[in-house]
């Protein structure tokens, strides 16, 4: 493993205290850092090229035999290594039953401009004056008009970190090109988001912006918005969810704002047969996304 990592046993060590403070959003934002806890999460961060600054490990908490190889991978990628005693790691860990791996990574920010390449590849490009539009049989495989149209998920004011993490997993599973968080309440880099996403945070592009900016951007790109609400007669299974699309989900407590209810291209609902009039937002998200996937792959 090259140079031996520094060993930390004291619960009063400055690095231990810093790790504990990184659970708080203000500390994360001030330092531009966040915690990545767990074998799967650390592995996925490294797979996606995230430059981990530090990796803390405690063999007393390891669950398997693959941890040393992952630690070496992190060291090779430039992470500074620290070995913690069992008690020191327990103090730093966010999970009730940790698995002995905890990394510190830099935060990042994406803007709507960063999605231009993703969105542009699936939108038809108008032909130049005097030219013919290629047919499906004649066009090459790189023709933008023939590639898969953009498929986005927009979430407004999601409040619970666990829901946001699960929504990230849903977006990844459904093959969404990006997740756009409007008027964000929950910090994207909350440890519970990282954990609930099982590291998918590192693979799904996420943009945080205000609702009017996102709505205007989607309109300019010709991307239809399908907003979910119980207050419509349009069933989600009977609504066309093909083509350039953004599925719009609302907050857990209040649902979608009037802005999105009035500004969406179409409103859709999931039928409810029992007494409950709504589903958990993460559940509603995956149901709606996979109906869109069914239609788009049909």
């Amino acid at each position: 493993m090259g140079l031996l990592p520094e060993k930390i046993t004291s619960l009063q060590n400055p690095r231990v205290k810093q790790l504990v403070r990184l659970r708080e959003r203000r500390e994360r934002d001030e330092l531009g850092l966040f915690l990545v806890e767990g074998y799967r999460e650390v592995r996925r961060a490294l797979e996606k090229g995230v430059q981990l600054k530090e990796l803390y490990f405690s063999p007393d908490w390891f669950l398997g035999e693959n941890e040393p190889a992952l630690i070496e991978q992190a060291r090779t990628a430039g992470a500074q290594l620290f070995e913690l005693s069992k008690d020191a790691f327990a103090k730093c860990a966010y999970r009730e039953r940790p698995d002995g791996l905890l990394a510190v990574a830099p935060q990042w920010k994406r803007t709507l401009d960063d999605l231009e390449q993703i969105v542009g590849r699936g939108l038809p490009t108008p032909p130049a004056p005097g030219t013919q539009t290629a047919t499906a049989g004649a066009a090459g495989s790189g023709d933008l008009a023939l590639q898969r149209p953009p498929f986005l998920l927009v979430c407004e004011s999601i409040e619970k970190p666990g829901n946001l993490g699960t929504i990230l997993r849903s977006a990844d599973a459904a093959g969404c090109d990006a997740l756009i968080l409007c008027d964000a309440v929950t910090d994207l880099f909350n440890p519970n988001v990282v954990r609930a996403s099982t590291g998918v945070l590192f693979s799904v592009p996420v943009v945080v912006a205000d609702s009017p900016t996102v709505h205007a951007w989607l309109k300019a790109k010709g991307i239809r918005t399908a907003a979910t609400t119980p207050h419509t007669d349009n069933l989600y299974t009977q609504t066309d969810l093909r083509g350039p699309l953004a599925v719009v989900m609302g907050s857990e407590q209040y649902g979608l704002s009037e802005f999105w209810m009035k500004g969406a291209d179409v409103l859709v609902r999931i039928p409810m047969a029992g007494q409950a009039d709504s589903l958990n937002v993460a559940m509603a998200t995956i149901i709606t996304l996979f109906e869109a996937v069914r239609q788009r792959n049909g």
Side-chain angles (χ1 to χ4, degrees):
M1 198 179 284
L3 294 176
L4 293 177
E6 178 183 339
K7 292 187 177 182
I8 299 174
T9 59
S10 172
L11 303 188
Q12 302 306 314
N13 184 280
R15 289 189 177 277
V16 171
K17 292 182 177 181
Q18 180 66 73
L19 290 173
V20 173
R21 287 197 297 269
L22 281 173
R23 298 178 187 176
E24 303 300 323
R25 180 170 187 172
R26 187 167 79 172
E27 188 76 9
R28 291 194 298 270
D29 289 345
E30 286 181 357
L31 297 177
L33 302 172
F34 71 107
L35 300 173
V36 182
E37 183 178 350
Y39 178 88
R40 177 169 49 183
E41 290 77 0
V42 171
R43 176 173 57 82
R44 287 181 171 171
L46 290 170
E47 288 173 350
K48 294 302 178 181
V50 176
Q51 296 296 310
L52 302 179
K53 293 176 66 66
E54 301 161 358
L55 179 66
Y56 297 82
F57 65 94
S58 178
D60 291 329
W61 289 106
F62 288 173
L63 300 178
E65 300 178 352
N66 298 322
E67 289 86 353
L70 188 65
I71 293 169
E72 176 61 18
Q73 183 182 350
R75 184 196 66 79
T76 302
Q80 189 175 2
L81 301 183
F82 300 91
E83 181 176 346
L84 300 182
S85 67
K86 186 174 184 179
D87 288 342
F89 195 92
K91 181 175 181 179
C92 301
Y94 197 76
R95 302 181 179 187
E96 291 184 6
R97 178 39 176 111
D99 61 9
L101 292 170
L102 177 64
V104 176
Q107 296 187 20
W108 61 84
K109 290 184 179 180
R110 289 190 178 94
T111 67
L112 292 171
D113 289 340
D114 295 325
L115 301 184
E116 288 290 341
Q117 186 175 3
I118 294 173
V119 172
R121 62 152 167 68
L123 294 174
T125 302
T131 62
Q132 286 188 325
T133 302
T135 63
S141 60
D143 191 329
L144 291 180
L146 300 180
Q147 294 186 25
R148 183 170 67 90
F151 182 30
L152 305 175
L153 174 61
V154 175
C155 291
E156 181 189 35
S157 302
I158 299 299
E159 300 164 354
K160 298 180 180 179
N163 279 339
L164 181 53
T166 304
I167 285 169
L168 273 162
R169 292 177 65 184
S170 301
D172 177 71
C176 289
D177 295 305
L179 168 63
I180 301 176
L181 299 178
C182 293
D183 311 320
V185 176
T186 296
D187 174 23
L188 179 63
F189 298 104
N190 183 298
N192 264 334
V193 174
V194 182
R195 176 171 62 177
S197 80
T198 65
V200 168
L201 170 67
F202 306 117
S203 58
V204 176
V206 181
V207 170
V208 179
D210 62 88
S211 288
T213 299
V214 172
H215 184 267
W217 184 83
L218 292 169
K219 284 289 187 184
K221 299 300 177 185
I223 299 174
R224 293 174 62 240
T225 50
T228 55
T229 175
H231 307 299
T232 180
D233 293 330
N234 301 321
L235 294 180
Y236 77 118
T237 53
Q238 297 176 7
T239 303
D240 188 353
L241 301 177
R242 298 169 296 175
L245 179 74
V247 173
V248 187
M249 307 297 300
S251 70
E252 296 92 336
Q253 186 173 1
Y254 301 109
L256 281 171
S257 65
E258 277 295 302
F259 176 85
W260 282 107
M261 291 285 284
K262 292 180 178 179
D265 292 302
V266 63
L267 301 178
V268 299
R269 70 177 175 91
I270 300 170
M272 308 294 294
Q275 294 184 4
D277 61 358
S278 64
L279 293 171
N280 170 279
V281 64
M283 295 175 62
T285 297
I286 200 163
I287 289 172
T288 307
L289 289 180
F290 271 89
E291 170 58 22
V293 169
R294 183 191 69 81
Q295 293 186 24
R296 297 162 82 84
N297 292 339

